[in-house]
């Protein structure tokens, strides 16, 4: 007996259907291998639901925006790598310029009589250095 002879049976059972590929490979992965779900994180969802993104200034009656909605603040002080990138030179060149006194570093005092060891450079000084290089 042939499948085509059975009433109501599809003569070609695989036509128009994809074969069963087995279990979904993504669902069989552990939590460490799963991709993050799209959409806001729990923190963002809780902030959105709590209404902390928009607060009212009661004195002026205007809406103040949170730090998430403001434009990012550009740092005025740049570390060694950022200063080198800003100038378009290597970090070693910035170190040499600072050692020769061509470029002054910003010293940040600590609570003790010491100062911060991190090399920080003022963007204004970097711009001034670029202007002197032009002439």
């Amino acid at each position: 007996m042939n499948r085509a002879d059975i009433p109501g049976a599809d003569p070609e059972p695989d036509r128009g259907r994809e074969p069963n590929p087995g279990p979904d490979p993504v669902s069989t992965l552990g939590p460490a291998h799963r991709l993050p779900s799209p959409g806001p994180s729990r923190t963002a969802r809780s902030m959105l639901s709590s209404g902390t993104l928009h607060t009212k200034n009661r004195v002026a009656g205007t809406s103040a925006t949170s730090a998430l909605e403001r434009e990012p603040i550009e740092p005025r002080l740049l570390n060694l790598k950022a200063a080198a990138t800003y100038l378009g030179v290597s970090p070693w060149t910035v170190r040499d310029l600072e050692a020769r006194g061509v470029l002054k570093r910003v010293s940040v005092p600590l609570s003790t009589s010491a100062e911060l060891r991190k090399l920080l450079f003022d963007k204004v000084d970097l711009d001034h250095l670029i202007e002197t290089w032009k002439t």
Side-chain angles (χ1 to χ4, degrees), residues 58-85:
R58 293 182 185 188
V59 176
T62 60
S63 175
T65 58
S66 72
L68 295 174
E69 295 176 341
R70 284 186 239 147
E71 293 182 21
I73 297 173
E74 294 282 328
R76 181 170 171 183
L77 297 179
L78 302 176
N79 63 16
L80 177 67
K81 187 176 179 182
T85 302

Side-chain angles (χ1 to χ4, degrees), residues 77-87 89-96 98 103 118-121 126:
L77 297 179
L78 302 176
N79 63 16
L80 177 67
K81 187 176 179 182
T85 302
Y86 189 76
L87 291 175
V89 297
S90 76
W92 288 106
T93 304
V94 175
R95 283 181 184 270
D96 290 341
E98 192 268 332
L103 186 59
K118 187 174 187 176
L119 292 176
L120 295 172
F121 300 96
L126 298 176

Side-chain angles (χ1 to χ4, degrees), residues 95-133:
R95 283 181 184 270
D96 290 341
L97 291 170
E98 192 268 332
R100 288 187 288 153
V102 175
L103 186 59
K104 186 155 175 65
R105 74 180 267 199
V106 177
S107 299
V108 178
L110 298 174
S111 59
T112 60
S113 61
E115 64 182 38
L116 188 68
R117 291 181 57 199
K118 187 174 187 176
L119 292 176
L120 295 172
F121 300 96
D122 191 352
K123 212 183 255 191
V124 174
D125 292 339
L126 298 176
D127 289 334
H128 181 66
L129 182 63
I130 293 170
E131 290 300 318
T132 59
W133 286 348

Side-chain angles (χ1 to χ4, degrees), residues 44-66:
R45 281 194 303 261
S46 66
M47 287 177 64
L48 289 170
S49 64
S50 67
T52 57
L53 289 178
H54 294 286
T55 58
K56 290 283 185 180
N57 184 348
R58 293 182 185 188
V59 176
T62 60
S63 175
T65 58
S66 72

